[in-house]
Amino acid sequence: MENSDSLILQVAIDTPLRRVFDYLAPKHVAAASTGAAESPRPQPGVRVRVPFGRSTKLGVVVAITDRSVLPRAKLKHVHEIIDREPLFDPVGFELLRWAADYYHHPIGEVFAAALPVALRAGRSAQEHPVVWETTSLGIAETASPSDRRAPQQRALLAHLSVNGPRTTAELAVEFDPAIVRAAVVRGWIRERPATALAAGAPPGIAPVLRSSSIELTDAQRLAVDTIVESGRRFAVHLLHGVTGSGKTEVYLRAIAALIGERGQALVLVPEISLTPQLVERFRDRFDSAPAILHSGLASSERLEAWRRARSGEARIVIGTRSAVFAPLPRLALIVVDEEHDPSYKQHEGFRYSARDLAVVRARRADVGIVLGSATPSLESLENATQGRYCKLTLPERPGVARAARMHLVDLRRHAVDHGFSQPAIAAISTHLAAGAQVIVFQNRRGYAPTVYCAACGWVATCTHCDARLTLHRHPAGLRCHHCGAQRAPASHCEACGRDLHPVGHGTERIEETLARLFPGQAVARLDRDTVATRGAIDALLARVRRGDARILVGTQMLTKGHDFPEIGLVVILDADQGLFATDFRAAERLAQTIIQVAGRAGRGARPGEVLIQTEFPDHPLLRLLIDAGYEAFATQALAERREARWPPYARLALLRADAKDPARLDAFLHAAARLGQPAAGGAGGVNLLGPANALIARRADRHRAHLLIEAENRSTLQRFLGEWLPRVENLPAPHGLRWSLDVDPLEVD
Ligand code: ADP
Ligand code: ZN
């Protein structure tokens, strides 16, 4: 090994700066006197504790070199190397570096996003059992205390130096866990494996997929065979299976066949709390428990799942977005369920697409990936057309279940009672009488989206945002859905003093109307106000599954893969919100929502029916979707995208900025636009559009605007951003202005 004094460690630190920080390897402390094990070796992928400004921070070593732009004398030493082994498998590690480049995001924040909180706080990445030992920092502190504070932590240090490494249980006899944690945060003590065994010799046993009574349909069989035959080589399979067609069964069998005795599978899902069924099915069917990774877990549970993934012990890892970064040393297959779902895109901070990164990871690991959906994204469909993805289709529901029939109800031709047309009311009655359950979809929570004075036209608006206030009944108040501001509900117009009227229908009001129209029928409501907690979601979904609730009213949350066999009817109260929206993805989202909500009906033996209320029954895209199906809709929508040069026929990035002072915001974005003009202006295949105001031009007292960068392809966009962004970063940032870049934005807003 070379003399580690000459090494320079490039460290990713969780700061908003787009750079790495150079450090020297740690100074060696005489280990003999203390009984501490030999220090870990510096290598890419290990965490280090470093001096940073006046504080100490944790970072990840991203590279080791022998030169720095800074003179050696200016470089500081790393306090401590935390890990003996890199935290990531090589492909996972490269994926993070690649993602930082591609999304032009500060690499420290990228690594932070990939690590469980417990690891960011310095906990050991090793699997238990572990022992606690003194770090070199702790040893130095014992030898020459820097001050007299934290007497209990010092007592802990003394205890460890007298007795040598101790297990958590042994420490717990004398020390509170909070003291142990505090000493970890200071960098005085750390965990290490109790035995000398390296982490992760996974058992060489193939997890068994328990047999079930399910016999695959021909289409399922073909899909499984195709995925399995392409084996552990890179291939993207776009599994387009109508709702209820048995995609999960395809995932289960393909995984069982491909992971064999040592491999691992990664299954990404949009939201675990809303779809506990998928996880249950994996638990039921495999004799090896999957590791579950999502943000709702307690930090120690998440760490444990992460460790099991890293050691290879977890053969199947199921997780949401950030699980795409899980360490998977023996990856054999990736599945992305509901690949069209917008929640795969992180919408703040490090704005990555987990679906897109999953494809990149599969390519780099040279393994197969299955993108499953009943409503594939237009991007994925185009990739299939171009031959980059291999398309597999499940056109029907297995067994007796049949696709629900869809009808449009022309709202202009029927009397409407609080949002319900006569045909909708009649259909609900019929289905309830036949013993079926009914779903009513309205993508608006609260009681009424607008409160308005009929006499003078005054509307209740938020004082902090350019937006209307939503009336809520339980608890009562006027709430802004954009900034969270609350006010007591007003009964009189602030302008003229006359009575105010709630206009429009949120889910609360729909629930009230249903109770009046169908007395005696239990109604359940699923929206963010009723299911704020995980427990509440589980309880509500269980109530529906047991049949205790006869009518289920809800928002977008209803679109997520629920499998309730007794739903006979789905009513979509208002299809029109998405028809004329300005965003280029609005039509795609609307179509996906309609098909996904409709897919909750007719999943059992009961035939399903779907009523879609609209004032525009002749809208061409809506007609195409209802009459010819999602695929026909997608073909037409893609033609329109091509015409308008929107993705996937162009590549976008959005520079968003906000500030309290609109003049500063405007000046900044204009300056940024000017910096891009020589390269852009259509010449190099790049157009810079804007600045333009965001749809909600003021939110929480901050003005919001953006610049849109449109490029003819990915490499053009990347080249442009690589040159332009450093110049934007060097612009004198006006006081209080924030900006961020979104590569491949889902919404141009
Ligand atoms: P999707 O994920 O495509 O919406 P699911 O995987 O949830 O569909 O399957 C819907 C239902 O059909 C489930 O209850 C599942 O157990 C059942 N199923 C799947 N494949 C078959 C099959 N080949 N024969 C009978 N039932 C099946
Ligand atoms: Zn507001």
Side-chain angles (χ1 to χ4, degrees), residues 436-477:
Q437 286 171 297
V438 173
I439 279 182
V440 176
F441 173 77
Q442 174 73 326
N443 202 21
R444 265 192 184 139
R445 64 196 173 89
Y447 188 82
T450 301
V451 174
Y452 150 93
C453 170
C456 76
W458 180 86
V459 170
T461 54
C462 179
T463 47
H464 308 287
C465 306
D466 292 344
R468 293 176 176 186
L469 291 171
T470 299
L471 180 65
H472 284 252
R473 282 278 161 92
H474 303 290

